[in-house]
Amino acid sequence: MLERVLALDVGDRRIGIAVSDPLGITAQGLETYHRKDDDPDADADYIAELLKKYAPVRLVCGLPKNMDGTCGFQADKVRDFAAKILERWNGTCEFYDERLTTVSAERVLLNADVSRKKRKQVIDKLAAVVILQNYLDSKGR
């Protein structure tokens, strides 16, 4: 059964995007999308086009929780953005705790001796990969 999943690491300036293989086993980074200034509709349109292209069974958005597990203002922004996407795409969305994913991604890049400039270019995409792989692993795929 095909179980492709697309994941987002939504930030104020950039969105990391990752997609699973068609069987929903492994996560691969797609890109880091640079958000349009003050135009969340254009951003949601772009993501909706990716969803049409890759045809996942679901969208997973990293939910930025506080270290005590509570949700704050940034989590509300991610939920609002996901709602905009769902207005454009007839699918389901799940939220996955993204605490420390950027830290994990940064550690991987530092261990690989990636330059600071290059890290900035790929950190969001790699964070989306970490979110998606953790999600897939939690589902036992």
Side-chain angles (χ1 to χ4, degrees):
M1 178 174 14
L2 297 179
E3 290 286 325
R4 180 166 273 170
V5 180
L6 193 128
L8 304 177
D9 177 35
V10 180
D12 289 330
R13 287 185 238 152
R14 294 177 302 278
I15 300 172
I17 306 167
V19 67
S20 74
D21 66 284
L23 298 177
I25 298 170
T26 61
Q28 295 89 35
L30 277 183
E31 66 178 280
T32 297
Y33 170 77
H34 295 269
R35 299 188 74 169
K36 306 299 178 226
D37 291 336
D38 299 322
D39 193 359
D41 287 323
D43 300 335
D45 289 342
Y46 183 82
I47 300 301
E49 286 301 314
L50 282 178
L51 289 163
K52 289 176 190 167
K53 177 180 177 181
Y54 287 94
V57 296
R58 82 185 42 80
L59 172 67
V60 173
C61 291
L63 192 64
K65 292 185 175 183
N66 299 319
M67 290 310 291
D68 65 1
T70 60
C71 292
F73 181 67
Q74 197 65 28
D76 292 338
K77 288 165 66 172
V78 170
R79 285 191 190 107
D80 291 345
F81 184 66
K84 284 191 174 298
I85 294 168
L86 291 174
E87 291 170 2
R88 295 157 170 79
W89 178 66
N90 188 22
T92 62
C93 179
E94 290 185 40
F95 297 96
Y96 191 81
D97 185 354
E98 71 166 35
R99 279 179 287 184
L100 302 179
T101 55
T102 301
V103 172
S104 296
E106 183 83 21
R107 189 174 302 122
V108 167
L109 294 171
L110 285 170
N111 288 339
D113 202 27
V114 175
S115 71
R116 181 181 305 242
K117 182 179 178 182
K118 183 71 172 166
R119 282 195 312 263
K120 187 175 181 178
Q121 294 170 353
V122 300
I123 190 73
D124 300 295
K125 176 173 66 173
L126 188 54
V129 169
V130 171
I131 291 165
L132 181 54
Q133 192 63 58
N134 289 345
Y135 171 83
L136 295 171
D137 292 347
S138 77
K139 299 300 181 188
R141 295 198 166 97

